[in-house]
């Protein structure tokens, strides 16, 4: 199996889960080791996998790697909304051109392909609307979500026009170990470890539908093994919480007062609410989340960041400098 983006957050957890639970699967990781990639996230399985340092948009490299595998699971992406607002070009290049490169290779070699995508392609919801389903119309808001939407459309077209054996999944917000400190939950946990107050965009009323990364990755395996070709599956664990509540749960884990955070500049075009209806995945493939309790999963995640400072420390100062350079200010 070729796993792209295997040195990133979800990809590294996928590779670790795969090595632990499926000893018959041989994994090759292809990762460009951008600012978001970290070889150390694969240290626990380094002896059990092959690692290739390279770009998914490199057509010859990708063609060569794909020719030797039975399946491709495509996680590699530029993944952070705030970065896509500051500089959109890498998102177009990696998310769209990179996906094109993989699709051409799986088409040529008739290799099974699974495409990992996001619920953000559907835009956002008002408080009363039902959750996204597989038939919700695409309506992306940010350069990040627009390029993910574009990549999904390429997959659909290559499936219909060229018979590529592809499945797609669109998942909600993930949390868990090995997530980059630019993202909401690890940023606040590592701020608190450093004695810095959490940073909440605007009033914090935006809602995200949280899922533990291991539950996401078990769903990816279910789809890979039993999903229907051409089908999209939404992945979510009924984990809707507003950002203010999440910050206050993190503060509680550090025995700090619930008001001990700062409101900072809001994100332009900030999506208000995401929510997933995962009925198809649950009913057709029998998937259900193991981390039904967000508070327990969050406690594990806080413990992981406390225990693994060596992993995140090298990225922390640069990340905070980038937020300051982008103009983030306390309100
Ligand atoms: P991440 O930013 O942590 O990791 C991305 C990885 O891709 C990094 O290791 C990076 O080095 C690699 N990469 C980037 N550009 C590359 C290129 N051109 N060639 C090869 N490798 C490259 O991202 P993540 O949070 O693990 O997200 C993984 C996938 O899951 C993405 O496709 C993302 O859109 C999707 N997703 C993420 C979430 C979430 O909450 N994080 C939710 C739903 C879907
Ligand atoms: O410091 C912060 N303060 C804050 O209030 C940060 C970094 C974020 N936020 C808010 C913005 C969002 O409403 O928290 C929420 C979550 O922010 P992110 O972690 O940046 O995630 P989001 O923009 O929702 O996108 C994530 O989920 C979908 C991933 O980064 C995407 O890759 C995935 O597709």
């Amino acid at each position: 199996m070729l796993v792209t983006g295997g040195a990133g957050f979800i990809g590294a957890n996928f590779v670790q889960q795969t090595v632990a639970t499926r000893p018959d699967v041989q994994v090759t990781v292809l990762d460009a080791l951008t600012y978001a990639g970290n070889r150390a996230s694969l240290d626990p399985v380094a002896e059990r996998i092959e690692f290739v340092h390279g770009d998914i948009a490199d057509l010859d490299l990708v063609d060569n790697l794909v020719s030797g595998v039975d399946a491709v699971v495509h996680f590699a992406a530029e993944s952070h909304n705030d970065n896509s607002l500051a500089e959109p070009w890498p998102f177009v290049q990696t998310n769209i051109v990179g996906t094109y490169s993989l699709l051409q290779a799986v088409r040529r070699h008739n290799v099974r392909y699974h495409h990992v995508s996001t619920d953000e392609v559907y835009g956002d919801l008002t408080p009363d609307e039902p959750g996204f389903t597989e038939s919700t119309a695409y309506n992306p808001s940010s350069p990040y979500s627009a390029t993910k939407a574009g990549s999904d459309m390429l997959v659909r077209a290559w499936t219909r026009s060229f018979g590529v054996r592809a499945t797609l999944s669109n998942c909600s917000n993930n949390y868990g170990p090995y997530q980059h400190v630019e993202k909401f939950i690890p940023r606040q946990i590592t701020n608190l470890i450093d004695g810095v107050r959490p940073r909440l965009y605007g009033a914090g009323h935006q809602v995200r539908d949280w899922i533990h990364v291991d539950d996401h990755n078990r769903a990816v395996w279910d789809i890979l093994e039993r999903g229907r070709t051409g089908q999209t599956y939404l992945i979510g664990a009924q984990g809707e919480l507003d950002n203010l509540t999440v910050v206050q749960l993190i503060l509680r884990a550090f025995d700090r007062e619930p008001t001990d955070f700062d409101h900072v500049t809001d994100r332009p075009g900030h999506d208000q609410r995401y929510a997933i209806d995962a009925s198809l995945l649950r009913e057709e493939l029998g998937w259900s989340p193991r981390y039904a309790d967000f508070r327990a999963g969050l406690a594990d995640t806080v413990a992981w960041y406390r225990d693994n400072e060596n992993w995140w420390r090298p990225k922390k100062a640069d990340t905070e400098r980038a937020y300051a350079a982008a103009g983030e200010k306390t309100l």
Side-chain angles (χ1 to χ4, degrees):
M1 164 186 288
L2 180 67
V3 178
T4 72
F9 163 47
I10 305 177
N13 279 285
F14 179 83
V15 171
Q16 289 201 27
Q17 183 184 105
T18 300
V19 168
T21 58
R22 294 163 198 267
D24 50 325
V25 177
Q26 264 181 275
V27 175
T28 297
V29 167
L30 171 61
D31 197 295
L33 297 177
T34 67
Y35 81 95
N38 194 337
R39 268 306 284 261
S41 306
L42 294 168
D43 279 353
V45 294
E47 306 300 316
R48 306 271 301 276
I49 63 163
E50 184 190 2
F51 183 86
V52 178
H53 183 195
D55 192 324
I56 54 165
D58 180 338
L59 286 162
D60 292 338
L61 172 67
V62 165
D63 190 79
N64 188 30
L65 290 172
V66 168
S67 71
V69 298
D70 299 317
V72 173
V73 183
H74 177 33
F75 291 96
E78 286 292 337
S79 70
H80 193 37
N81 276 298
D82 293 322
N83 292 345
S84 82
L85 296 166
E87 177 49 68
W89 169 245
F91 291 73
V92 175
Q93 169 64 24
T94 285
N95 299 356
I96 297 184
V97 179
T99 297
Y100 161 82
S101 157
L102 288 160
L103 285 170
Q104 287 292 74
V106 294
R107 173 187 174 198
R108 184 196 306 256
H109 298 289
N110 189 23
V111 166
R112 172 82 173 85
Y113 174 84
H114 181 71
H115 185 75
V116 177
S117 193
T118 171
D119 59 358
E120 297 192 17
V121 300
Y122 302 112
D124 59 359
L125 298 165
T126 60
D128 302 327
E129 279 179 290
F132 304 126
T133 70
E134 288 74 8
S135 54
T136 302
Y138 274 41
N139 188 23
S141 314
S142 73
Y144 163 67
S145 49
T147 58
K148 290 298 292 187
S151 73
D152 292 9
M153 293 300 168
L154 294 183
V155 179
R156 291 180 182 200
W158 262 242
T159 303
R160 173 147 175 180
S161 300
F162 304 128
V164 163
R165 292 183 293 131
T167 42
L168 304 90
S169 55
N170 295 73
C171 187
S172 60
N173 283 60
N174 285 219
Y175 72 96
Y178 300 102
Q179 186 168 29
H180 194 283
V181 290
E182 69 190 354
K183 300 295 186 342
F184 179 48
I185 288 179
R187 186 181 186 203
Q188 316 314 335
I189 293 172
T190 54
N191 274 358
L192 283 164
I193 291 172
D194 280 348
V196 173
R197 287 156 69 92
R199 323 269 290 165
L200 191 64
Y201 291 175
H205 297 319
Q206 292 79 13
V207 172
R208 296 295 181 264
D209 189 353
W210 293 100
I211 181 172
H212 193 279
V213 63
D214 288 344
D215 284 329
H216 179 182
N217 283 329
R218 286 191 308 103
V220 168
W221 261 110
D222 287 343
I223 298 164
L224 196 58
E225 291 187 316
R226 290 178 286 116
R228 279 175 286 136
T229 299
Q231 183 63 46
T232 290
Y233 295 86
L234 264 54
I235 307 173
Q238 293 179 304
E240 276 191 77
L241 288 169
D242 66 34
N243 294 339
L244 174 60
T245 303
V246 174
V247 158
Q248 292 183 328
L249 288 171
I250 298 170
L251 283 164
R252 190 183 301 167
F254 283 83
D255 289 325
R256 298 276 292 262
E257 293 298 315
T259 51
D260 217 357
F261 64 88
D262 290 327
H263 292 281
V264 297
T265 325
D266 207 351
R267 175 183 285 170
H270 201 166
D271 278 341
Q272 286 303 316
R273 173 176 168 245
Y274 307 137
I276 292 270
D277 176 348
S279 303
L280 182 68
L281 178 71
R282 286 174 179 268
E283 284 158 25
E284 187 181 306
L285 301 182
W287 174 90
S288 61
R290 289 191 183 153
Y291 285 83
D293 177 7
F294 176 78
R295 286 153 187 80
L298 183 65
D300 288 355
T301 305
V302 169
W304 189 87
Y305 281 90
R306 282 192 201 271
D307 293 345
N308 289 276
E309 187 168 338
N310 288 348
W311 180 87
W312 59 265
R313 175 61 66 195
K315 310 260 186 185
K316 182 66 179 168
D318 280 352
T319 301
E320 290 305 317
R321 260 193 294 277
Y323 277 120
E328 184 177 281
K329 298 241 175 349
T330 305
L331 298 177

